[in-house]
Each structure stands twice: as structure tokens, then as C-alpha cells.
Amino acid sequence: MSRVRLRAALESRDGSALAIAPLIERHAGALEQIAPATLLSDAEALARALRNAQALYGCDAVTIGAAGERAAAACWEAARPGLVPAASAAAVARGEPLDDLPAPAGIGGGASLAVARDAMARLRPVLGDRAGIAIVLPDAPRLAALLGREASGDWASATLLEIVRLFGPEEPDLFLLTGNEHTLARPLASLADFFGAPIVHVCAEESCQAGVAVLQGDDFAGSAADLPGTTWLATSSTELDVDSDPKATREAIANMRRRRTIAG
């Protein structure tokens, strides 16, 4: 089962098991022809899209959180009560600065993270051991940058702690942290470990962790070349393109597994 394989990869981290989990939220929605606004606000639609994408591709984990933008959108919602996910996501996409940063403790009250948690709760019994669930968050510098507040690293770090506290009791299999901060903050790693959900850092420019292959999200099928034998996780630095060819993506994932099986 894919979830078993994911756990084996996370435990060994030596290449004896390979887990494949590209960032797939928006691509999954496009496959189901779900409008972006609906995907952001409807937990059932999000869960259905991710469940069907996993069945199509055989990924070892589905990813919730876009490429970290859901967390940034939640910050907008905490600062602007009543803001709907489509509007908060649009503000993040525009790079609009968030002038008044909300208290980290209030981040969990926004709709974007509530939808993500609800989708996760719906997915768990359906996926079972077929696949794990990964929550995607930005690292502290990237969260601050997404909000146009690059100098707010301490606030961003405190906010990420609150988001991990929010999702931890729901028992995700791991957190994927996007960005180029090469040193993972110990409090964040310790909190995630407390919930039994390790953090894997996904850097856009290069892998922050040995054995993690970070492929190109906009050309996942084309960039999925042979992986080193020590690779234990293959993911992507950005989300798969919404227009990615499903057949090519499925074949790329199957080929990654096949080559590793032959090599082993």
C-alpha cells in the first residue's frame, strides 16, 4: 500500500523505499473541472479531487495546502474577518502586502485552513492505506514574503507553530515545507514530531534534505528522470501545472517506480 511505502520511506530515509508525492491540489481540481474558487472553499470538492487524482496517479500521498499559499491566505482571513478564500487567495497571488499582521493564535479561524482540515477528515477514511496525507506549508521566510512582509520572520515562525498545532491532532502523515530556508527551526520540527508527522523541507532551488528529489512542478513528467538510488522522496517545488497531461504524468510516476525496481 502507498501509505505503508510512505511511512517506510520516512522512517528509513536511505532509499530502500521511494515515496512519490508531488504538489497536486490545483491540478487535481482541474482534472475534475472544479472551479478554482470552489476548490478553495468546498471541502467535499477538494477531497473528491484529491481522492480521484491519487487513484489516477498512484501517489503515495496527496497534498493539501497548494504550495503553501493556503497558509498565507489564512493570514489574510485572520486579519480581515469575513474575507472568503477566493479573495484571500487572490490577494496572495497578487503579492499584495498585508499591512496588519494578525496574532498568530488567531490564524486557525480562517476558512482556508478550515476547508483544508475538513477535506483531510473526509479523505482519511476513504484513502485508508492507499495513500498518506501531506500538509503543505511555506517556511517562515516564504510565508513572510507571500504576505509582502519579508522582515517579519519571527511572526511567521510563531504563525507556523500555530498552524502545525491546528493540523497535528488530525494526524497528517507529514508536513511539506516549501521555501529556501536551509535550517529548519527546532521548535517547529519538535512540535511536528510530537504529533508524529515529520517535516520535510522542499527547496525550490535545491534539496534541503538528503535523499529528497525536488522536481519541476510545471514540467513534472519531463523532469522525472532517473532518480539516485538514495532518493526516498520525490516531490515538486511548485504545484503540478493545471494543464499537465494526465497520461504523461501517470507514465512518469510509473517509470520512476519501474526504474528504481529494476535498479534494485
Side-chain angles (χ1 to χ4, degrees):
M1 294 289 189
S2 289
R3 191 181 184 196
V4 174
R5 183 164 49 226
L6 173 68
R7 288 178 169 177
L10 287 167
E11 290 174 4
S12 64
R13 303 197 180 202
D14 59 5
S16 58
L18 170 65
I20 301 174
L23 307 189
I24 203 169
E25 181 177 310
R26 290 170 181 153
H27 176 73
L31 289 175
E32 295 296 305
Q33 298 184 327
I34 298 173
T38 301
L39 196 70
L40 290 167
S41 60
D42 187 331
E44 173 56 33
L46 176 59
R48 181 176 73 250
L50 291 171
R51 179 186 69 233
N52 291 343
Q54 192 282 327
L56 174 65
Y57 295 137
C59 299
D60 297 305
V62 296
T63 60
I64 301 176
E69 291 89 351
R70 270 193 188 265
C75 296
W76 272 93
E77 292 156 13
R80 306 281 192 276
L83 199 65
V84 299
S88 59
V92 173
R94 291 192 302 267
E96 186 175 337
L98 179 57
D99 295 330
D100 301 318
L101 294 176
I107 296 299
S112 286
L113 295 186
V115 168
R117 287 184 72 199
D118 192 359
M120 182 180 171
R122 292 166 186 262
L123 279 167
R124 177 61 78 208
V126 175
L127 290 178
D129 283 335
R130 277 174 44 199
I133 299 174
I135 302 300
V136 186
L137 302 175
D139 61 22
R142 184 162 186 264
L143 176 59
L146 284 170
L147 299 173
R149 299 292 297 269
E150 285 80 354
S152 302
D154 289 344
W155 171 88
S157 295
T159 296
L160 289 174
L161 284 170
E162 293 300 326
I163 296 176
V164 170
R165 287 193 184 97
L166 178 71
F167 281 100
E170 303 299 324
E171 300 183 347
D173 293 277
L174 74 158
F175 292 94
L176 291 175
L177 207 63
T178 63
N180 290 321
E181 183 181 39
H182 289 266
T183 302
L184 182 60
R186 185 176 296 277
L188 190 64
S190 297
L191 181 61
D193 285 341
F194 171 80
F195 289 115
I199 289 179
V200 176
H201 212 150
V202 178
C203 292
E205 297 175 356
E206 59 181 290
S207 175
C208 291
Q209 292 188 223
V212 179
V214 182
L215 307 178
Q216 300 175 35
D218 58 355
D219 185 27
F220 186 82
S223 63
D226 291 342
L227 302 177
T230 55
T231 303
W232 52 270
L233 175 65
T235 184
S236 57
S237 56
T238 56
E239 288 194 282
L240 298 194
D241 194 290
V242 294
D243 296 321
S244 293
D245 180 4
K247 181 179 179 180
T249 301
R250 184 178 182 180
E251 289 178 351
I253 291 173
N255 285 336
M256 277 191 278
R257 296 200 195 284
R258 188 178 302 115
R259 294 188 191 110
R260 283 293 298 274
T261 301
I262 293 173

